[in-house]
Amino acid sequence: MPIILPQILMVQRDESFSPNAVEKDLAILQAVGEKLRDRGASISYVKEELLQDKRWKLGDRVGVIFSMARSEKSLAVLQQAQAEGVMVVNDPRSIEICNSRRAIDGLMRSNRIPAAPYYERGKGWIKADRGHDVRFAANEEEMLAFKQQVEDPLLTAHVEGTLVKFYGVADRFFSPQGYPQVAEAAARLACLVGIQVYGGDAVLLSDGTFAIIDFNDWPSFSSCREEAAAAICRLI
């Protein structure tokens, strides 16, 4: 007998959380929606800011939500939907962790997942715990000045090496090819966070080691969109 898929809601990320990537983020969401529709699912889309409207009664309408939402209000709505029996990917509680750079940094260090060293001197990065305020400091003077301008900053050393982007969907890892240690570390971090669709950046050092310098929920998968869309579709 054919598989009967539930009605599925696709939540588009608010543009404020997609700096310079609004079209790319929407493209991966739509690619997933198209593949689900090809399998017979009933698909509808909603912008994150409309999801926050209290008139939505998600449990009465849908069985699955694929969401790129990040705001506190949206995550609260999605958690309520979970309580009503709706499956939500990614889990909103995991998104709350991803929203905090300090939380991700702490998970990596406490579980011995390679991260950039804390800043001591010289070049470094100053990153707000939440949001997009990330700045490069070429020296101690710039670091001190930026530190006073960034809210609740995380200070890390600048790691010299080759920057690579990685993407994962559940047990599928898409890049970089040939670096299984990065894939293993990223997958372990995703498991600790409790997230199924994720991505980030790592720096490969000349001595063969690496450091994960960024980790986030549901990236645009711009270099592997079709493969990733198929893998996300299979999560159901």
Side-chain angles (χ1 to χ4, degrees):
M1 295 181 63
I3 297 174
I4 306 301
L5 296 179
Q7 184 171 345
I8 300 172
L9 182 68
M10 314 292 289
V11 183
Q12 181 183 350
R13 182 173 291 152
D14 188 285
E15 292 186 6
S16 64
F17 296 107
S18 294
N20 304 314
V22 173
E23 293 182 357
K24 292 180 180 179
D25 282 352
L26 179 58
I28 181 62
L29 192 70
Q30 290 176 332
V32 174
E34 290 171 4
K35 292 186 181 300
L36 289 168
R37 186 175 284 118
D38 289 343
R39 294 191 176 200
S42 175
I43 304 295
S44 58
Y45 292 86
V46 63
K47 292 184 177 181
E48 178 174 352
E49 55 267 33
L50 297 179
L51 180 70
Q52 299 167 20
D53 192 321
K54 293 182 178 179
R55 290 175 298 176
W56 281 90
K57 294 186 179 299
L58 298 175
D60 297 338
R61 301 186 179 190
V62 299
V64 178
I65 300 174
F66 281 110
S67 173
M68 300 184 80
R70 285 180 175 169
S71 72
E72 291 185 10
K73 290 183 178 180
S74 296
L75 297 180
V77 172
L78 294 173
Q79 288 191 48
Q80 180 59 41
Q82 283 183 317
E84 297 173 4
V86 178
M87 185 182 82
V88 181
V89 178
N90 284 303
D91 189 320
R93 291 165 295 187
S94 299
I95 305 305
E96 289 179 343
I97 298 174
C98 287
N99 279 343
S100 169
R101 290 189 176 90
R102 287 187 175 278
I104 293 294
D105 184 81
L107 274 176
M108 288 197 291
R109 296 183 194 280
S110 63
N111 289 277
R112 297 184 179 182
I113 295 174
Y118 286 132
Y119 178 79
E120 293 184 357
R121 62 181 64 86
K123 299 177 182 179
W125 292 88
I126 181 165
K127 307 174 182 180
D129 179 47
R130 296 173 181 271
H132 305 292
D133 196 352
V134 177
R135 311 185 191 189
F136 172 71
N139 51 52
E140 289 90 336
E141 289 76 16
E142 288 188 0
M143 180 63 78
L144 180 60
F146 291 157
K147 183 179 178 180
Q148 298 173 352
Q149 301 171 20
V150 177
E151 184 176 357
D152 194 16
L154 172 67
L155 279 59
T156 60
H158 177 65
V159 181
E160 297 283 356
T162 302
L163 179 67
V164 295
K165 291 188 174 295
F166 60 82
Y167 303 100
V169 177
D171 59 351
R172 289 288 307 280
F173 197 79
F174 296 98
S175 60
Q177 298 297 324
Y179 299 100
Q181 69 273 34
V182 176
E184 180 182 356
R188 191 153 65 91
L189 180 56
C191 186
L192 289 167
V193 174
I195 201 166
Q196 294 176 289
V197 184
Y198 62 91
D201 299 306
V203 175
L204 309 176
L205 283 68
S206 58
D207 62 1
T209 61
F210 68 95
I212 293 177
I213 61 171
D214 187 37
F215 184 86
N216 53 74
D217 62 286
W218 204 318
S220 62
F221 293 94
S222 54
S223 65
C224 53
R225 184 177 298 136
E226 287 302 310
E227 293 176 278
I232 296 170
C233 177
R234 285 194 294 269
L235 278 178
I236 292 184

